[in-house]
Amino acid sequence: MDNDTLYKSIKSYLGANYNENDENSKKIIIDAIKDYKIVASNESHRKKDDELLIPYIKEAVVSAYLRRGKEGSLSNSEGGMSDTYVDIKEKLRKDVLAIRVMP
């Protein structure tokens, strides 16, 4: 799946969480797709365009997009709701091990 198609899929998945008025939103998502494709490819020993990587990359990009502004935080508490964050790249690395191709 090419980056533009993946971008459209992620944008659709985000729904109301996607900020159409922010001119940087598309760039942020496309950059994240490129970065996470590299991480997933390196850890799994698969090609960057391998369809098996798409769900993992999509999950990482959505997490990163929703977490914008809270980078570096381990947790957040707002209005009685508490969130604990995981390292997105580390989670992606661990997740793609399940589909790793042995070199």
Side-chain angles (χ1 to χ4, degrees), residues 2-88:
D2 66 88
N3 291 350
D4 197 50
T5 304
L6 187 53
Y7 160 75
K8 289 175 185 172
S9 173
I10 290 169
K11 178 182 168 186
S12 174
Y13 180 82
L14 286 168
N17 288 312
Y18 182 78
N19 188 353
E20 289 280 352
N21 299 322
D22 182 0
E23 59 194 44
N24 291 319
S25 287
K26 181 175 182 176
K27 182 182 180 334
I28 290 167
I29 290 175
I30 294 291
D31 287 348
I33 289 169
K34 290 176 184 176
D35 291 345
Y36 291 131
K37 274 188 174 182
I38 292 168
V39 171
S41 174
N42 287 343
E43 291 299 317
S44 67
H45 301 288
R46 292 182 177 273
K47 294 183 180 185
K48 285 188 260 181
D49 60 350
D50 191 317
E51 292 291 320
L52 290 175
L53 296 176
I54 298 304
Y56 302 102
I57 294 166
K58 185 175 178 180
E59 179 183 356
V61 172
V62 167
S63 294
Y65 184 83
L66 294 175
R67 192 170 166 187
R68 288 174 309 130
K70 298 174 187 151
E71 294 89 346
S73 298
L74 297 176
S75 64
N76 183 44
S77 183
E78 239 177 78
M81 301 280 295
S82 179
D83 290 317
T84 303
Y85 302 121
V86 296
D87 183 316
I88 297 168

